[in-house]
Amino acid sequence: MAVELGYREEAAILVLNRPEALNALSFAIVAEIDNALEEVARSDARVLLITGTGDKAFCAGADIKELRNRDLMAQKRGAESGQATISKIETLPIPSIALINGYAFGGGLEIALACTFRLAAKQARMGLPEIKLGLIPGYGGTQRLPRLIGEARALEMIMTGRTIDAEEALHIGLVNQIMEGDPLEAGLAFAKGFTRYSLPVLGLARQAVMRAADMPIHEGLKTEADLSTLAFRTGDAEEGMAAFEEKRKPEFRDA
Ligand code: CO8
């Protein structure tokens, strides 16, 4: 399989496994990712980790050889279905972390952009080099990158095709952390910072922040008031506040 899905501790682990093509996204792989994400959504996992086989590439982007010689309607359908698959990462009921273990270019970076968090290995390089092919990003890059790092920096990456290393990615807020050692261990350790909290309440926090990008601040504040009130109504909020008063550790039940 070019996509492997496994489970470890409380994490689902999706591995892009096509090392001979630097884990490039053939249409078949995109379909496999889609199926794997459906399975993850039904699982008991509390976090999804995504990485690539080997230490050279996370994913070198859409399969350029496959993209050629398709008519415009086929290209448009391909972009739309790739976008729909990648958007499923964002709408999963659990948070996700891209473990960028090497090159993350084009569609590869676009997968990482849809994750809740991104960790990069020291040797990782990231970019949207489509312009060098006479193309522009088609799997969400023009929309998610500016929301994450701002319009000017996103336009610079998209219009020059310049790729950046892990240090620069950390500096501009594209990644949360530079990983030391084994990416999976680094991902599991990072996930422990939030997986013990209430999953539905984590979901409300993600929704509040994600919706902020789509609305003016007065609408966003209304959304925050609604979602924080919803959080307040959960049993986990009751437990968290009771535990504080009783000076003990809370036991969240995801309810
Ligand atoms: N597609 C297909 N094959 C690839 C890709 C790719 N994106 N990237 C690498 N490969 C293959 C190479 O062809 C090569 O195969 P072979 O040995 O059979 O020739 C093998 O992987 C190893 O690659 P290299 O020999 O090139 O390895 P290097 O270490 O020399 O270079 C690079 C690594 C710098 C990553 C280089 O391979 C490269 O530049 N790759 C292309 C990166 C790129 O431009 N990505 C963006 C693709 S476009 C995109 O993602 C979105 C398009 C819009 C989507 C719209 C959908 C309809």
Side-chain angles (χ1 to χ4, degrees), residues 16 31 65 93 97 100 104 115 120 136 164 173 175 191 205 207 224 236 239:
L16 303 170
K65 295 165 194 170
I97 309 175
I100 305 174
C115 291
I136 71 166
I164 62 175
V175 302
Q207 269 193 49
E224 183 187 76
D236 284 337
E239 166 64 8

Side-chain angles (χ1 to χ4, degrees), residues 194-209:
F194 56 83
T195 47
R196 65 182 183 280
Y197 298 128
S198 166
L199 204 47
V201 178
L202 287 169
L204 293 172
R206 284 168 61 216
Q207 269 193 49
V209 172

Side-chain angles (χ1 to χ4, degrees), residues 33-43 88 92:
I33 294 172
D34 201 274
N35 288 336
L37 292 172
E38 296 283 341
E39 192 185 318
V40 170
R42 291 191 299 266
S43 76
K88 282 187 183 174
L92 278 175

Side-chain angles (χ1 to χ4, degrees), residues 18-27 56-57 59-67 70 74-80 82 103-110 127-130 132-133 135-139:
R18 194 189 171 207
E20 69 283 4
L22 304 183
N23 306 322
L25 298 172
S26 62
F27 300 121
K56 194 166 175 191
C59 170
D63 188 314
I64 299 167
K65 295 165 194 170
E66 257 189 12
L67 284 182
R70 294 200 316 162
Q75 278 315 357
K76 185 154 186 281
R77 278 196 300 273
E80 286 168 350
Y103 300 126
F105 294 155
L109 183 60
E110 288 168 307
L128 294 174
E130 285 89 341
K132 297 179 185 173
L133 301 166
L135 298 171
I136 71 166
Y139 287 164

